[in-house]
Each structure stands twice: as structure tokens, then as C-alpha cells.
Amino acid sequence: MNKDPILKSPNLNLSADSNKTINYKRDANNYITQVFGEQLPAIKTGFFNIHMNKGFIVQPHWHTNVNELVFVISGEVVTSVFDPFTQKLKSYRIKPGQVSMLPLGWFHWIVAMQDNTHFLTIFDEATPDIVYGSDFLRFTPKEIMSLAYCVDEEKYAAAVAPIQESIILGPPLGCKKRTDSAEPSPENRTIPHSSHSSPPPQPSHSSHPSNPSHSSHPSNPSHLSHPSHPSYLSHSYSLPQSPISSPQGYSSDGYRWNQAHPFNYYVPQENNHPYKTY
């Protein structure tokens, strides 16, 4: 029998609203809510409830104490993770009902491939630790980068200068590479109260999770749309007429998932050169 004292409490609660507690909000279409131990004390796991539009990213990061499972509810994402044993990048294009696993300590990121994408990132601990790539970049002294990798100190400092805080959903507000008009105005960038009860929550620019510690059916081709190239992406992409997706990142119509440039969707296998950068 479970001897957890929480389960013996006369005020035991076994439910929570994953839409209520705001973890991070970039704008009205790109935000994260959560359920962890703070929201549901009886829980021994936890998850982020993530909404993103096409072209946005859960920035590169890793976890020091948890494994992560990505489960897509609607839309489509590409998960990419660096395998430290094979020294290779693994990318998986997943759709509703499909999952992708991100092992403890492995560097990874998630890119939304469709507007109104909704997915969960589920953890095997109630309090995940998060190390953000943005923090690694902005806090590593330029002298150390030069000493370690022989990079130009001033060029490195200039490259990371725009990173002024921990970035969870990117690209950051005010990114000069983006020319879309969807950026919220400064007066709308307010920090929400954690007790906000109905989504979408008010815009927040908080960069730290409110609970985790900060260290933070294949689709029918006939239903797939062929979107125009968003103005804020610097490289173009094309979508095959009859793509058939695969959790392994490959399609059965002669196309291979392009890991190097995810917004190119696919490159034809017959044109694939193993030592060429796409």
C-alpha cells in the first residue's frame, strides 16, 4: 500500500487545471502553462502544456535530472536531440498522437511546423531542472570561447549581445531577423498573476519557470496545406505533393527529412550526398 503522507491528507486533491498556471508567455499564440508538484502535490511527474505557431522554437536546452517525452495533440513539431554516444543529431517529425523521447542530459530543441500547434512535454520527476542554451551563450566569457574554440572574442561578443535574458520560446521579441507584424506592442507585454484562471493568459516576459528550478496517424496528404514562405524566415522551403510522414523523420515517397534546415521539410534522396551540407 502506498504510504505517501500526501495521499493520507483529509484535504487530498487529485486534480489540477493545466491551463491555469503560466510558465512563460511570449505572445497570444506562443505560451506555456504547466502542472507540476506545486500545482498538484500528489503528482510524481509533471508536464508543460505548450502552444506555438509555425516557425517558433522551444530553444535549445537540456535537463540535469529528468527524461522528457514530447506528445503532440495538434499541429506538428520537429524534435531534435544530440546523441552524445554517436555524436549525431537525431531529428523526428511528429504529428498528433505521436511521441518523441528526449533522454536526461541530452541537448535538444523543438520547432513548430504548423500554426496552432499544441503539445505536451512530460517529465518523470515533479520538478525538472533546466539549463538554457541562451544562458550558456550569454554567460560564457568571450575569452573562454576564444581560448576553447579559437573564435574571435569581439565577434563572439557581438553575436551573443542580443541575448539579454533566458529565452524559452524563440526567436526573442524584437529579433531583427523577423519582419512579421505579430509582435505584441510594449504596452501589452505585462507579467500575469499566477492565479490567472482562463487561457490564453496575459503576455508575460518572465524567463524562468514558476515551478522547475532554473539551472529552468500520419496525416492524409489531401488535408495538408502548402503554406507560403513566411517573410520572417531567411531560407525557403518546399513541401512534396504527397508527403507521408514517419516518426523516424523519413517519408516513403522518396524524400528524406532535412535535419540541417528543418524548414526545407525534405530533400530528395536521389540528390543526397552524405558529405554535403544542405
Side-chain angles (χ1 to χ4, degrees), residues 9 18 60 66 80 102 120 135-136 241 274 278:
S9 169
S18 69
V66 291
S80 295
L102 306 170
L120 305 179
D135 290 343
F136 173 83
Q241 292 297 313
Y278 289 92

Coordinates of all heavy atoms in Angstrom, one line a residue, residues 9 18 60 66 80 102 120 135-136 241 274 278:
S9 N -3.9 12.8 3.5 CA -4.4 14.1 3.9 C -5.9 14.1 3.8 O -6.4 13.7 2.7 CB -3.7 15.2 3.1 OG -4.4 16.4 3.3
S18 N -4.3 22.3 -16.1 CA -3.0 22.6 -16.8 C -3.1 23.9 -17.6 O -2.0 24.3 -18.1 CB -2.7 21.4 -17.7 OG -3.5 21.3 -18.8
P60 N 17.1 25.7 -27.6 CA 18.0 24.6 -27.2 C 18.3 24.6 -25.7 O 18.5 25.7 -25.1 CB 19.3 24.9 -28.0 CG 18.8 25.6 -29.2 CD 17.6 26.4 -28.8
V66 N 15.9 14.8 -15.4 CA 14.7 14.2 -15.9 C 14.8 13.7 -17.4 O 15.6 14.3 -18.2 CB 13.5 15.2 -15.9 CG1 13.1 15.4 -14.5 CG2 13.8 16.4 -16.6
S80 N 14.6 17.8 -32.1 CA 16.0 17.5 -32.5 C 16.8 17.3 -31.2 O 16.6 18.1 -30.3 CB 16.6 18.6 -33.3 OG 16.0 18.7 -34.6
L102 N 13.3 12.4 -25.2 CA 14.5 13.2 -25.1 C 15.2 12.8 -23.8 O 14.7 13.1 -22.7 CB 14.1 14.7 -25.1 CG 13.3 15.2 -26.3 CD1 12.8 16.6 -26.0 CD2 14.1 15.1 -27.5
L120 N 2.5 18.5 -25.4 CA 2.9 18.3 -24.0 C 4.3 17.9 -24.0 O 4.7 17.0 -24.8 CB 2.0 17.3 -23.3 CG 0.5 17.5 -23.3 CD1 -0.2 16.4 -22.5 CD2 0.1 18.9 -22.7
D135 N 21.5 30.9 -21.8 CA 22.3 31.2 -20.6 C 23.7 30.8 -20.8 O 24.7 31.5 -20.5 CB 21.7 30.6 -19.4 CG 20.4 31.2 -18.9 OD1 20.1 32.3 -19.4 OD2 19.7 30.6 -18.1
F136 N 23.9 29.6 -21.4 CA 25.3 29.1 -21.7 C 26.0 30.1 -22.6 O 27.1 30.5 -22.4 CB 25.2 27.7 -22.4 CG 26.5 27.2 -22.9 CD1 27.4 26.6 -22.0 CD2 26.9 27.4 -24.2 CE1 28.6 26.1 -22.5 CE2 28.1 26.9 -24.7 CZ 29.0 26.3 -23.8
Q241 N 4.3 17.0 -53.0 CA 2.9 16.9 -53.3 C 2.2 15.9 -52.4 O 1.1 16.1 -52.0 CB 2.7 16.6 -54.8 CG 3.1 17.8 -55.7 CD 2.3 19.0 -55.4 OE1 1.1 19.0 -55.3 NE2 3.0 20.1 -55.3
P274 N 26.2 12.3 -48.8 CA 26.4 12.2 -47.4 C 27.4 13.3 -46.8 O 27.3 13.5 -45.6 CB 27.0 10.8 -47.2 CG 27.5 10.4 -48.6 CD 26.6 11.1 -49.6
Y278 N 23.3 20.6 -46.4 CA 22.1 21.1 -47.1 C 21.6 22.3 -46.4 O 21.7 22.4 -45.2 CB 21.0 20.0 -47.1 CG 21.3 18.9 -48.0 CD1 22.0 17.8 -47.5 CD2 20.9 18.9 -49.3 CE1 22.3 16.7 -48.4 CE2 21.2 17.8 -50.2 CZ 21.9 16.7 -49.7 OH 22.2 15.7 -50.5

